[in-house]
Amino acid sequence: MTIDEHPSVRSPGLVRGTVAMLRNRWRQLTSMRTALVLLFLLAAAAVPGALLPQRNLNTQAVDSFIAARPVLGPVMDTLEMFDVFASSWFTAIYVLLFVSLIGCLTPRLIEHGKALRAQPVRVPRNLTRLPLHHSGTLAGDPEKVIADIAPHLKGWRTVVRPEPDGALTLSAEKGYTREAGNLLFHFSLIGLLAAIAIGKLFGYEGSVIVIADNGPGFCNTSPAVYDSFRAGNSTDGTGLEPFCIRVKDFTADYLENGQAEMFTSNISYQSADDIAADTWRDYQLKVNEPLRLGDERIYLTGHGYAPEFTVTFPDGQTRTEALQFRPDDATTFLSSGALRFDPPGGTYATADERRRGQIAIEGLFAPTAQFNGNLLSSRFPELVDPAVAVDIYKGDTGLDTGIPQSIFSLDQEMINQGRLVKQDRVNLRPGESTTLTDGTVVRFDGAKEFANLQVGYDPAQRWVLVFAVTMMTGLLISLVITRRRVWFRIHPAEHGRAGVDMGGLARTDHAGWGPEFETLRSQIWPQATSSDSETHDRETV
């Protein structure tokens, strides 16, 4: 083994190279350029989450999207395009941006702290090279001239320094708030990102459909009461803030073209304290006007219709049920859905007979019916002339199999196996009925409106508002305030007058600094003439 190959010789160089590489990577990550690139990537990465259906909001829409694209859909699912905001790549961008901003801004904060404690910089040797310069004379010795200039520099940080040739210099600076505003903006951005992340970790969102008939409504006791529920990564759905809501009615205002103008729902609710006292409070819920209960927000996000049917079994016992149908056409609210009726006790002698005697209804509902022959469609979304076109089945609906089913469609496998047999296909208006061969009567009673409520809990939402406000404040400060520097060199007096050189410089863009410099010059030399003064304004190179 040669000396170069000995591990003890290679190790120090290897360690130094590794440390240097890591240092360079850290500098690249914590540069403002990288932070801007990551911010752009975060915005771009959020686009699929806005355009594509997301599994945490609508699992059925995601499944339909994938089924319609058998090749591309599974690939997109593998890439987590339907769980964008919970995906590994979105989280990686988010965390990298967070780290980049902290690593970029911390040194700037330290430097700004040092700048606040430091004295203004010394006067440049040649003030005539500055973009803004003036030379003139003032009465008195250097000390008196500085005393006369000082009142014109209120709000400036100043320091007086002597020079070896007997001259005095005055350095003045202002505009330190500009950097403070810049830092406030960026640290508020970090706080905003952190608040959003905390909200996603410890918050939750639930969506529930409630029929607007002043029925039992729902209580926020567990995720099971919701039709869809998305809990944060650190939330298991237990310990929810208790409250109850009943929906009294629902009103939709439509334009002539069928477009919804406003949704309004009168509700009653109980907060945690009201539940113990059994007290209900009234509230009018509108779109973008949520009910606020602590950190919970209850939004009215949509509506639809729940057709109501009554099934009279051969022994005379009845079952009445209203269940929401899914709006398939957002313009006319032509909806589809299914209902399942289990015979009342005593209708059949055995459990097997009872299972074979179940009734299922599947079909379409139109709030304002329009028939083309026997084909049903809807011409307007308001509940004006309702009708249904349904298939009626008898047999095992699969209610007691334990297999989950969609509430909007029957289990096709039950139909394929002959366990659920179609008995009739009929169009019905409210009050009309049809009788099956065994004497069972199915009557369409009409329809009720339902409200789609969304409950959101975000423990950091107040901080999101605070950081958004401070971000805008910091941005405004950084745009309005400009860093300025002005210097004076006062030479010893001759014939009772001291020679004064004045120079000005803006630390950033000096647009607007010229008039301000000229105003300051005119205050110091109110009667200056071209014979005793000279001013130079020029663009910096």
Side-chain angles (χ1 to χ4, degrees):
M1 179 181 295
T2 63
I3 294 179
D4 291 340
E5 295 174 342
H6 198 278
S8 61
V9 176
R10 289 187 300 162
S11 296
L14 180 61
V15 171
R16 284 194 297 270
T18 302
V19 171
M21 182 190 68
L22 293 176
R23 186 185 297 114
N24 290 335
R25 295 294 180 269
W26 174 253
R27 288 174 179 172
Q28 292 175 359
L29 176 61
T30 57
S31 67
M32 184 56 70
R33 184 176 184 179
T34 301
L36 291 174
V37 171
L38 289 171
L39 188 61
F40 172 79
L41 287 177
L42 188 70
V47 172
L51 298 179
L52 298 174
Q54 297 298 293
R55 187 168 276 111
N56 63 331
L57 298 178
N58 195 332
T59 304
Q60 193 170 28
V62 173
D63 294 339
S64 300
F65 188 94
I66 295 175
R69 298 162 180 81
V71 177
L72 183 60
V75 175
M76 296 174 67
D77 195 18
T78 303
L79 296 176
E80 301 177 284
M81 301 301 288
F82 306 112
D83 299 281
V84 169
F85 302 107
S87 64
S88 56
W89 49 270
F90 189 88
T91 304
I93 297 174
Y94 201 93
V95 172
L96 285 174
L97 175 60
F98 197 80
V99 173
S100 179
L101 285 172
I102 293 177
C104 175
L105 295 176
T106 301
R108 286 181 58 183
L109 180 63
I110 296 173
E111 290 299 321
H112 184 60
K114 292 179 180 178
L116 292 176
R117 295 192 302 270
Q119 293 183 339
V121 299
R122 291 183 175 274
V123 176
R125 181 173 300 177
N126 191 349
L127 290 175
T128 60
R129 294 183 177 179
L130 296 179
L132 300 170
H133 171 255
H134 178 81
S135 295
T137 61
L138 291 172
D141 56 21
E143 287 81 3
K144 181 180 180 304
V145 170
I146 287 178
D148 292 340
I149 293 175
H152 302 292
L153 297 174
K154 290 182 179 179
W156 295 66
R157 293 177 59 189
T158 61
V159 61
V160 178
R161 297 184 180 94
E163 292 197 342
D165 60 358
L168 291 179
T169 61
L170 174 62
S171 302
E173 292 185 5
K174 73 173 183 178
Y176 291 89
T177 314
R178 177 189 177 92
E179 179 65 10
N182 202 321
L183 290 171
L184 177 63
F185 170 80
H186 287 93
F187 275 106
S188 296
L189 177 58
I190 294 176
L192 182 66
L193 293 174
I196 292 174
I198 291 173
K200 294 298 182 182
L201 284 173
F202 298 98
Y204 63 83
E205 285 184 358
S207 181
V208 58
I209 291 175
V210 183
I211 296 179
D213 60 353
N214 202 27
F218 79 100
C219 291
N220 188 45
T221 54
S222 75
V225 304
Y226 292 97
D227 298 317
S228 64
F229 187 84
R230 184 199 62 80
N233 294 339
S234 299
T235 304
D236 57 4
T238 61
L240 303 182
E241 185 69 21
F243 63 83
C244 295
I245 290 180
R246 292 175 179 170
V247 180
K248 297 180 179 180
D249 56 36
F250 180 91
T251 303
D253 299 325
Y254 298 99
L255 301 176
E256 292 183 358
N257 61 359
Q259 180 180 352
E261 187 176 19
M262 176 56 67
F263 295 154
T264 304
S265 181
N266 291 305
I267 68 172
S268 57
Y269 69 92
Q270 291 180 318
S271 61
D273 296 334
D274 297 329
I275 293 176
D278 195 21
T279 301
W280 289 89
R281 303 175 187 271
D282 294 332
Y283 186 82
Q284 190 175 71
L285 199 62
K286 293 184 177 181
V287 176
N288 297 326
E289 295 183 16
L291 171 63
R292 303 173 186 271
L293 299 175
D295 288 328
E296 275 85 9
R297 301 289 183 268
I298 296 90
Y299 296 89
L300 178 61
T301 59
H303 79 111
Y305 298 99
E308 185 176 56
F309 290 85
T310 296
V311 176
T312 303
F313 289 88
D315 65 345
Q317 297 192 73
T318 63
R319 292 277 197 190
T320 300
E321 183 177 348
L323 188 65
Q324 65 268 22
F325 273 31
R326 176 180 56 207
D328 294 323
D329 189 327
T331 303
T332 65
F333 268 70
L334 182 66
S335 308
S336 63
L339 298 92
R340 301 164 178 85
F341 294 83
D342 198 28
T347 301
Y348 294 98
T350 65
D352 187 59
E353 290 179 346
R354 180 194 61 79
R355 186 180 299 110
R356 293 197 304 269
Q358 294 172 350
I359 300 297
I361 301 173
E362 183 179 46
L364 298 176
F365 167 81
T368 303
Q370 177 175 306
F371 285 97
N372 183 10
N374 289 327
L375 297 179
L376 174 66
S377 62
S378 178
R379 65 177 184 271
F380 199 73
E382 191 173 4
L383 192 63
V384 177
D385 183 20
V388 294
V390 294
D391 291 331
I392 302 174
Y393 295 82
K394 182 179 180 181
D396 187 358
T397 63
L399 287 174
D400 52 1
T401 61
I403 301 174
Q405 298 185 41
S406 169
I407 64 171
F408 301 117
S409 62
L410 300 178
D411 188 347
Q412 190 62 37
E413 193 61 30
M414 291 289 187
I415 299 174
N416 295 338
Q417 294 176 6
R419 298 167 66 182
L420 194 59
V421 181
K422 183 188 294 187
Q423 303 293 311
D424 198 0
R425 169 172 287 186
V426 63
N427 298 331
L428 300 174
R429 293 185 183 274
E432 296 180 346
S433 62
T434 184
T435 302
L436 307 184
T437 56
D438 66 346
T440 301
V441 179
V442 178
R443 186 181 71 237
F444 174 49
D445 298 327
K448 301 178 180 180
E449 299 214 44
F450 68 77
N452 192 2
L453 304 182
Q454 179 174 303
V455 178
Y457 169 70
D458 186 351
Q461 57 187 334
R462 292 187 179 88
W463 288 107
V464 171
L465 176 61
V466 169
F467 287 125
V469 172
T470 55
M471 273 182 64
M472 297 305 299
T473 303
L475 180 61
L476 183 64
I477 291 173
S478 64
L479 292 176
V480 172
I481 297 177
T482 305
R483 186 79 176 272
R484 278 94 161 92
R485 284 177 174 173
V486 65
W487 295 281
F488 297 88
R489 179 175 282 112
I490 302 96
H491 303 284
E494 295 180 2
H495 308 294
R497 300 184 68 82
V500 180
D501 291 327
M502 175 184 176
L505 180 69
R507 285 289 303 276
T508 54
D509 182 12
H510 68 274
W513 174 221
E516 186 178 349
F517 179 86
E518 185 61 27
T519 300
L520 181 61
R521 183 205 64 78
S522 63
Q523 292 173 351
I524 297 174
W525 284 277
Q527 297 178 346
T529 63
S530 58
S531 60
D532 64 357
S533 66
E534 180 185 7
T535 302
H536 302 282
D537 296 341
R538 65 175 185 268
E539 295 289 339
T540 57
V541 179

